[in-house]
Amino acid sequence: MRIATLALLTFALGFSGPACAQAPAPAKPVPQVTVDPARLAAAKAVVARAQGDRDTTLQAMTAPMTAMVQQMGLKQPDRAKVMVQEVIMPILSAHYDELLNLQALSFAAVLSKEDLEAIAVFYDTPAGRNMAKAQPQLAQAQLTGMQHWIGSLAGEMQTKLQATAEAHGWAPGGNRPKPN
């Protein structure tokens, strides 16, 4: 669960351009999902157990967020850390319950009440509690892996994006499609 949270934050922040250089994109409305209240309650129980300790989860986000701020253009590590500690983390903390509610709605939309109850039982086992405790480290490892993977493909993607843009006449010097 934390892996998904951090991955979404990585993409949301990581692809938005240089820090403080662009106005934020307007927020898209959250789709309204109607689910059975008992199913939603079961989903909230799973999310609460899977997330574990709120402070630990948020603390685990600090290092990846600092790295993303640096990637977005604020290269000085000390300044990036200040931005994360004074701006990003307080905002994430203040809105954390919103994230948990969105996750619960997502779970309730795709999993049955019975499945959710079984997952909650798992999180009440020693293995489930260990899984919840290990999530910050797993999330960070997966984020690092994802960033390296995307980075290793960036050159190939850029070359193919440029070639495709030129083939469609969307780039300077590209072939212009003939009008009908």
Side-chain angles (χ1 to χ4, degrees), residues 118-171:
I119 294 167
V121 167
F122 164 73
Y123 277 108
D124 286 336
T125 67
R129 286 188 294 275
N130 288 338
M131 176 78 164
K133 286 179 191 172
Q135 284 289 7
Q137 294 85 15
L138 293 170
Q140 192 158 355
Q142 291 221 350
L143 271 177
T144 301
M146 191 185 291
Q147 288 171 336
H148 287 288
W149 177 64
I150 296 264
S152 73
L153 300 173
E156 178 183 352
M157 282 189 250
Q158 182 62 36
T159 300
K160 289 184 179 185
L161 286 167
Q162 184 175 352
T164 301
E166 289 174 3
H168 286 280
W170 299 335

Side-chain angles (χ1 to χ4, degrees), residues 3 28 30 44 46-48 86 89 126-127 171-172 176:
I3 294 167
K28 294 180 182 177
V30 176
K44 286 183 178 186
V46 168
V47 169
E86 293 183 11
M89 296 315 294
R176 301 278 181 222

Side-chain angles (χ1 to χ4, degrees), residues 94-142:
H95 295 277
Y96 193 72
D97 288 338
E98 295 167 27
L99 174 64
L100 298 181
N101 287 331
L102 289 171
Q103 289 175 336
L105 280 171
S106 297
F107 276 52
V110 298
L111 295 168
S112 71
K113 180 179 173 248
E114 294 75 24
D115 286 343
L116 291 163
E117 289 169 344
I119 294 167
V121 167
F122 164 73
Y123 277 108
D124 286 336
T125 67
R129 286 188 294 275
N130 288 338
M131 176 78 164
K133 286 179 191 172
Q135 284 289 7
Q137 294 85 15
L138 293 170
Q140 192 158 355
Q142 291 221 350

